[in-house]
Amino acid sequence: MKLRVSVRSRFTTLGYQLILLMLLFQFSRLLFIGFNQALFCNISWHLYPIYLVNAIKYDIAAVCMLNAPFILLSILPFSFCERKWYQYLLMALYAVVNTVGLVANLADIFYYPYTLKRITWSIFDYLGTQANMSSLGGEFLLTYWYAFVLLGLLIGSLLWFFRYSLSKLKKTRRELDYQTAFGVWLLMALGTYLGSINNLNPFGESLQISDALDDVEQVEDAGIVLNSAFTLLSSYGDDSASTLPVVQPQEQKVSAGEFRPDNVVIIILESFTRETFGSLNTDLEGGSYRGYAPFLDSLMQKSLYFTHAYANGRKSMDAVPAILSSIPANQTPFILANQAGKKVESLASCLKAKGYETFFFHGSHNATMGFADFCQSADVDHYYGLDEYPAGKDFDGTWGIFDEPYLHYMAEKLDECKKPFLSTVFTLSSHNPYVVPKEYQGKFPKGSNGIHETMLYTDYALRQFFKTAASKAWYQNTLFVITADHAITPWHKKYATSANAFAIPLLFYAPGRNLKGKREERVQQIDVFPTVLSYLNYEEKFRSAGNNLLDPHSPKFAVSIVNQCYQMIQGDYLLLYDGKKCKALYQIEADPYQKHDIKNLNPKVVGDMLSLLHAHLRLINQNNKS
């Protein structure tokens, strides 16, 4: 029996349809680069064509993964496949699955600056922690309306081209027997499978997200060659493909005298970076840069502060476990990984044993980002969120309560509680969509970036908070720790590097104690936990992955993760390590834009830093298993 099938015509049409997808993926990549140029401003222009070529294999993989059913259904060797109803069914499938891929790519244009990595399947776990998705969705629609218009145009082009391609299908010209037709179909099935995992290479290993590191000059450029459809699909059901080994705390002790029961207030500033502060950037803009936190700049001069402090992650939910429990960030945030609610040691659990009452204040919806669940795991006594705040007052329209009234609210609550206390507050006004209360509109300069006005407002709110706190009896016996959750898209070229992508403030202010000075070591968020316990002369053993910053002999370094690579900063050196080998070594002061890899010129530095990094990871993991 013979089958009447136009092999050449149908294969040609399918080829054009897939090539269109490849072109749209490259177009979305160009948009990604253009909208995030502030993050890629240090890339030499001659590298962009190379990156676009290197990206083709990831686009092939994504197109094959998305379109495998469409491809195989398009070449079925049956006569009914040429009928209109079948072709329109294929058109619907073609439009739906590729809309998913285009949505992922377009969404990352705006989400990537917050995480510095392409989205993976864990994004759905993260979205599940957002209690205010309806208001956030509406705000996103209003702010990025042009993205939805663009998406509509791209989908429209898919549909138009598909209908146009139908008119080019020629009538059947030749006959094939079943065996030949089925053989052709099997070859296409094999090609689609290889394209989805190996870039059509049957002898190589499956294409992985981490392979992008070999296709770029600098680790932070990996986001360019990847596409979000590929990272989303390839990470489904396999966290190991996108997650480096989990780092857990090791046991240590910091006591140096009699326990001092001072109150502790930890202030985590939303999106405040080192770039925010004039006193930390005296070299910017020819020495004229003043920053956007004048009060905190003045408070810094009365504090022990660190000029080179780093966040461990790029998400708010990375920061809270790092600061309160000294748990480093990972590709999957600990809050999402700890779905079972496993108890973790924390400042709260340690100080509760000393009679402290413990609090966490965050003026957003109570389920936002899983903070309330983490506080329960960390043994925090009282969680204050939007539900506990007086109803109908001071809401910013999207996230929660404006910073000034909320900080005043915390000050009054602390005045009422028993002493000593540990309190953590997470500000939120300096978060997109960047609004200030009506009574303050026009009071603060807009600056060069939308966030600058809200940074100045939050700084002002802190000034008012400290005025209120200074009138309280507990103020003189309180240690204030001020830091930030993560860095954001920079507004100066100097900060568009993998090192400065994690640069944040860190200061310890004790108005009744002699705790002052400027320190220039490289330190990190996970150091806060042991440092606070050291300040209080806590005499018990505890588990921490950080180092005591008050101990001059403790090692000082910072570790974060950039596109599947450990990034370790110690002294003047930055090391990138992918878990198997050193990817690069840079000397930060001499090479601030990380252009010159010197790993081959400094094997001793590489060896010493790798030894310290391996020891840091190995001892912590071994301790966790014991």
Side-chain angles (χ1 to χ4, degrees):
M1 182 177 177
K2 299 292 185 180
L3 292 174
R4 294 172 58 79
V5 52
S6 177
V7 176
R8 179 179 178 185
S9 177
R10 208 185 293 179
F11 272 67
T12 302
T13 301
L14 177 62
Y16 286 145
Q17 291 164 346
L18 298 181
I19 287 172
L20 173 66
L21 295 178
M22 295 290 293
L23 293 175
L24 290 179
F25 270 56
Q26 285 285 26
F27 178 65
S28 65
R29 180 172 286 105
L30 293 176
L31 290 174
F32 173 81
I33 295 170
F35 275 94
N36 294 295
Q37 189 54 42
L39 296 172
F40 304 124
C41 61
N42 292 319
I43 299 178
S44 301
W45 283 102
H46 76 276
L47 291 175
Y48 282 111
I50 298 173
Y51 287 176
L52 294 180
V53 171
N54 290 343
I56 291 174
K57 60 175 174 276
Y58 301 99
D59 292 351
I60 290 175
V63 167
C64 288
M65 283 191 284
L66 284 169
N67 291 276
F70 167 75
I71 293 171
L72 299 180
L73 289 173
S74 294
I75 58 173
L76 279 176
F78 300 111
S79 57
F80 69 80
C81 298
E82 298 179 5
R83 295 180 181 177
K84 277 192 174 181
W85 66 266
Y86 188 83
Q87 292 300 321
Y88 279 112
L89 184 65
L90 287 179
M91 181 174 70
L93 179 61
Y94 181 74
V96 169
V97 297
N98 291 300
T99 294
V100 172
L102 292 173
V103 165
N105 283 335
L106 292 180
D108 239 350
I109 291 175
F110 310 102
Y111 186 62
Y112 180 87
Y114 296 100
T115 62
L116 292 190
K117 69 169 188 172
R118 292 281 190 164
I119 59 174
T120 58
W121 201 259
S122 64
I123 184 66
F124 297 108
D125 293 325
Y126 171 74
L127 292 176
T129 68
Q130 300 301 314
N132 54 338
M133 281 304 297
S134 57
S135 59
L136 289 179
E139 186 62 41
F140 186 85
L141 179 62
L142 290 173
T143 304
Y144 301 112
W145 59 268
Y146 48 90
F148 293 91
V149 172
L150 181 60
L151 177 63
L153 292 174
L154 293 177
I155 296 172
S157 69
L158 285 177
L159 293 173
W160 178 86
F161 187 84
F162 195 97
R163 294 195 64 180
Y164 174 77
S165 67
L166 291 184
S167 67
K168 297 302 179 182
L169 274 174
K170 297 177 183 177
K171 294 195 179 209
T172 302
R173 289 183 172 182
R174 54 186 286 196
E175 295 181 342
L176 292 176
D177 56 45
Y178 274 116
Q179 291 84 351
T180 304
F182 186 64
V184 171
W185 189 87
L186 282 179
L187 285 175
M188 285 297 296
L190 177 61
T192 302
Y193 172 73
L194 292 177
S196 66
I197 65 167
N198 282 22
N199 187 30
L200 305 179
N201 177 14
F203 306 107
E205 295 182 357
S206 298
L207 198 61
Q208 303 290 333
I209 297 173
S210 58
D211 292 338
L213 296 172
D214 297 324
D215 296 317
V216 294
E217 287 269 316
Q218 295 176 306
V219 65
E220 60 266 32
D221 301 341
I224 293 178
V225 299
L226 291 167
N227 68 73
S228 303
F230 172 77
T231 57
L232 189 66
L233 293 172
S234 61
S235 62
Y236 172 69
D238 184 13
D239 265 345
S240 64
S242 59
T243 306
L244 291 167
V246 175
V247 179
Q248 295 290 350
Q250 62 179 324
E251 194 171 75
Q252 57 180 278
K253 192 173 182 180
V254 294
S255 176
E258 183 180 354
F259 182 74
R260 177 169 53 199
D262 280 6
N263 308 301
V264 179
V265 175
I266 298 174
I267 301 173
I268 305 174
L269 302 171
E270 172 65 56
S271 300
F272 271 57
T273 73
R274 187 196 303 154
E275 193 176 7
T276 306
F277 296 83
S279 59
L280 299 179
N281 295 280
T282 56
D283 60 327
L284 284 181
E285 299 178 7
S288 64
Y289 182 68
R290 294 292 175 265
Y292 301 94
F295 169 71
L296 290 176
D297 270 327
S298 66
L299 189 68
M300 206 172 287
Q301 310 314 311
K302 306 172 186 177
S303 310
L304 173 65
Y305 70 100
F306 293 82
T307 59
H308 295 97
Y310 298 90
N312 290 105
R314 287 281 298 193
K315 296 186 182 75
S316 297
M317 60 171 53
D318 288 325
V320 174
I323 293 168
L324 295 185
S325 288
S326 199
I327 298 176
N330 208 320
Q331 295 284 20
T332 300
F334 177 80
I335 288 176
L336 297 180
N338 190 34
Q339 296 291 341
K342 177 184 175 183
K343 289 291 184 180
V344 294
E345 195 163 15
S346 68
L347 275 172
S349 63
C350 289
L351 295 183
K352 275 184 70 172
K354 292 293 185 179
Y356 279 63
E357 191 168 7
T358 59
F359 303 83
F360 190 98
F361 291 86
H362 187 226
S364 189
H365 299 264
N366 284 44
T368 297
M369 289 183 280
F371 289 165
D373 289 339
F374 174 77
C375 286
Q376 188 173 10
S377 299
D379 214 12
V380 175
D381 292 322
H382 309 289
Y383 184 92
Y384 286 93
L386 185 61
D387 292 351
E388 288 72 29
Y389 194 80
K393 292 183 61 180
D394 309 312
F395 187 64
D396 67 4
T398 303
W399 282 103
I401 308 304
F402 285 111
D403 285 345
E404 184 193 12
Y406 197 72
L407 288 169
H408 177 77
Y409 168 75
M410 182 183 75
E412 296 303 323
K413 286 291 182 184
L414 295 181
D415 202 40
E416 298 167 2
C417 77
K418 73 173 187 177
K419 314 299 184 294
F421 60 76
L422 163 69
S423 177
T424 302
V425 61
F426 201 129
T427 68
L428 55 75
S429 290
S430 48
H431 197 296
N432 186 291
Y434 308 133
V435 295
V436 298
K438 289 183 179 179
E439 62 267 30
Y440 291 112
Q441 291 178 3
K443 176 180 174 64
F444 307 106
K446 296 287 187 181
S448 61
N449 188 298
I451 198 174
H452 291 159
E453 181 183 23
T454 56
M455 283 178 164
L456 287 162
Y457 164 70
T458 295
D459 182 75
Y460 172 81
L462 287 165
R463 185 188 296 272
Q464 303 311 307
F465 166 75
F466 274 90
K467 281 183 181 179
T468 301
S471 67
K472 307 297 184 181
W474 47 265
Y475 179 72
Q476 291 295 322
N477 297 320
T478 300
L479 170 68
F480 295 90
V481 183
I482 303 177
T483 186
D485 56 346
H486 54 70
I488 56 171
T489 301
W491 49 95
H492 289 96
K493 184 177 180 180
K494 170 184 175 181
Y495 280 88
T497 64
S498 67
N500 285 333
F502 295 87
I504 58 169
L506 177 60
L507 62 97
F508 297 83
Y509 173 60
R513 310 288 184 186
N514 185 27
L515 186 66
K516 299 177 183 179
K518 174 182 177 181
R519 300 270 295 276
E520 298 186 352
E521 303 100 318
R522 313 281 173 169
V523 300
Q524 54 190 326
Q525 283 173 331
I526 59 174
D527 295 334
V528 170
F529 179 15
T531 302
V532 169
L533 292 184
S534 175
Y535 172 82
L536 299 175
N537 292 328
Y538 183 79
E539 69 275 15
E540 305 295 332
K541 289 182 179 180
F542 61 94
R543 300 175 73 85
S544 170
N547 295 298
N548 174 14
L549 301 181
L550 301 181
D551 179 0
H553 303 295
S554 68
K556 309 295 190 301
F557 58 87
V559 177
S560 52
I561 299 174
V562 184
N563 284 321
Q564 306 291 307
C565 259
Y566 283 115
Q567 175 175 269
M568 181 179 187
I569 306 174
Q570 184 185 36
D572 193 29
Y573 291 99
L574 181 150
L575 177 90
L576 292 165
Y577 174 67
D578 67 0
K580 297 178 181 177
K581 63 181 183 299
C582 172
K583 299 293 292 186
L585 179 73
Y586 301 106
Q587 194 165 5
I588 301 174
E589 295 299 326
D591 182 23
Y593 298 110
Q594 298 171 213
K595 295 286 189 180
H596 308 291
D597 179 7
I598 57 172
K599 66 176 180 292
N600 295 328
L601 301 177
N602 294 268
K604 185 178 187 307
V605 173
V606 170
D608 291 345
M609 291 185 72
L610 280 177
S611 294
L612 180 59
L613 179 59
H614 284 147
H616 174 67
L617 302 178
R618 183 175 59 252
L619 290 176
I620 289 169
N621 284 316
Q622 286 177 352
N623 232 293
N624 185 53
K625 294 174 184 177
S626 60

